[in-house]
Amino acid sequence: MKKIFLRDELDDYTDDINPSVLNYLKEGQVETFEGFQDFDLIGFDWYDIWGDVETTGQILIYLDAKDLFFICENEDSYRAVLKLFVPGHPNNQTLWLFFRGLFKGAIELMEGIEAEVSRIDDDIADGTEPKLLDSIHDMRDRVMVINKYFRQLSLVLDDVCENENGLIDDRTLQFLSALRNRAEHVLSLSQYLRDYVNQVRDAYSAQIAIEQNNFMRVFTIVTSISMPLTLIVGWYGMNLRMPEFQWAHGYEFVITLSVLVCAAWIGFFKKRGWFD
């Protein structure tokens, strides 16, 4: 018998599942894979990686010689299993088709994410904006969930392929082994994406540092030029009898002095390459 139902409905299957196993399943304590003499228990956290990654729910799978049960934590995970469930096949093949469906479109999904991260990376070269940082954080969270999702699926398939109790026939086991190899490939891609997003985030931080340095450079230039001019203004603004006040060219002298000070500082900073 094959069936998909919610975890709250476990009591309806007391005739098919041992009561002690039922209580264990109700608690949701199954982690990846647990093999017993007469049955297997498979558990993993499902995420809507093609939509809102915050949508999640645990999926438990019970497999014995005659039954295959998909036990879902909530309606979201129930709909996900229902979408991937292929009736009309033996239990082992149905299990393989279900896992194969979990990986369908994964490569295309990550290629699209890679293109989006690359676009953000190019935009950073044009300057930092708050929306870019928000996009990086959103992408980082998404990639982390995808990496976690495929990592646990890879671990599940590793354990399922051990088939210590012989519940899975040899032909299906070959299919599952091939799927396990694909899972490892998908996992390596997700790890690459995680590293790529971290590199883009570091590039954004470096760009912020560059922009801050440029701002401080301009601030230093303006301050360095204005300080001696302020000193000149303060000097000649004192209410004292100064010889320059009686000099016919005193006004022109102050103007020339101010211009020379500005020119000297500009030449100094230009020589040091601060205007490059």
Side-chain angles (χ1 to χ4, degrees):
M1 179 172 64
K2 294 186 285 289
K3 191 71 175 179
I4 307 171
F5 55 89
L6 295 172
R7 194 161 64 193
D8 296 339
E9 302 172 345
L10 272 170
D11 290 333
D12 298 336
Y13 296 88
T14 54
D15 294 336
D16 302 291
I17 305 177
N18 185 287
S20 61
V21 178
L22 279 177
N23 293 330
Y24 189 61
L25 292 173
K26 286 180 183 179
E27 296 173 356
Q29 296 181 357
V30 180
E31 295 290 342
T32 62
F33 177 87
E34 297 181 31
F36 298 87
Q37 182 176 356
D38 299 322
F39 62 91
D40 288 335
L41 295 178
I42 303 169
F44 62 93
D45 293 324
W46 168 82
Y47 292 90
D48 185 11
I49 59 173
W50 284 268
D52 183 5
V53 293
E54 295 183 359
T55 302
T56 182
Q58 189 184 51
I59 296 175
L60 303 175
I61 301 174
Y62 174 88
L63 173 69
D64 61 21
K66 60 185 181 65
D67 298 316
L68 175 63
F69 297 142
F70 294 89
I71 306 158
C72 308
E73 181 183 11
N74 52 36
E75 292 289 343
D76 293 321
S77 56
Y78 177 86
R79 286 192 292 268
V81 174
L82 191 62
K83 184 178 180 181
L84 298 174
F85 184 77
V86 182
H89 296 280
N91 289 347
N92 286 347
Q93 191 172 359
T94 300
L95 180 66
W96 167 68
L97 290 171
F98 168 76
F99 277 112
R100 188 184 69 170
L102 292 176
F103 288 92
K104 186 177 182 180
I107 302 296
E108 292 77 5
L109 171 68
M110 286 186 283
E111 287 177 348
I113 293 176
E114 182 183 13
E116 180 65 16
V117 176
S118 178
R119 184 193 63 79
I120 294 174
D121 194 13
D122 293 338
D123 291 341
I124 289 175
D126 298 330
T128 58
E129 297 180 11
K131 66 178 183 179
L132 286 179
L133 184 59
D134 293 338
S135 298
I136 293 172
H137 287 166
D138 292 341
M139 199 64 64
R140 181 194 60 184
D141 294 341
R142 183 177 181 83
V143 169
M144 287 180 63
V145 169
I146 290 175
N147 181 261
K148 176 183 177 182
Y149 182 60
F150 287 119
R151 183 170 64 249
Q152 64 174 342
L153 289 180
S154 179
L155 292 174
V156 165
L157 289 172
D158 282 342
D159 292 332
V160 170
C161 288
E162 293 294 331
N163 194 32
E164 294 181 352
N165 52 19
L167 285 176
I168 301 176
D169 62 88
D170 293 340
R171 181 172 175 80
T172 304
L173 195 60
Q174 290 178 353
F175 292 150
L176 287 171
S177 297
L179 187 59
R180 177 181 58 182
N181 295 334
R182 184 181 182 187
E184 293 176 354
H185 177 61
V186 172
L187 178 60
S188 65
L189 286 177
S190 68
Q191 290 172 339
Y192 159 74
L193 279 180
R194 183 187 59 185
D195 295 339
Y196 188 17
V197 172
N198 288 334
Q199 290 175 5
V200 172
R201 185 184 59 180
D202 294 340
Y204 184 88
S205 300
Q207 184 66 23
I208 289 179
I210 292 173
E211 292 178 358
Q212 289 177 341
N213 288 338
N214 290 337
F215 173 78
M216 292 302 299
R217 179 182 297 181
V218 173
F219 180 77
T220 301
I221 292 173
V222 172
T223 302
S224 300
I225 294 176
S226 62
M227 284 182 64
L229 297 179
T230 303
L231 177 62
I232 294 173
V233 171
W235 181 270
Y236 286 99
M238 292 187 296
N239 191 19
L240 298 173
R241 294 178 59 87
M242 302 179 69
E244 292 86 348
F245 290 168
Q246 307 300 321
W247 185 28
H249 301 288
Y251 183 66
E252 291 85 351
F253 170 75
V254 173
I255 293 177
T256 303
L257 179 62
S258 301
V259 171
L260 289 175
V261 168
C262 294
W265 275 113
I266 292 174
F268 172 77
F269 289 120
K270 189 173 183 179
K271 185 177 181 180
R272 296 179 64 90
W274 283 35
F275 291 101
D276 297 337

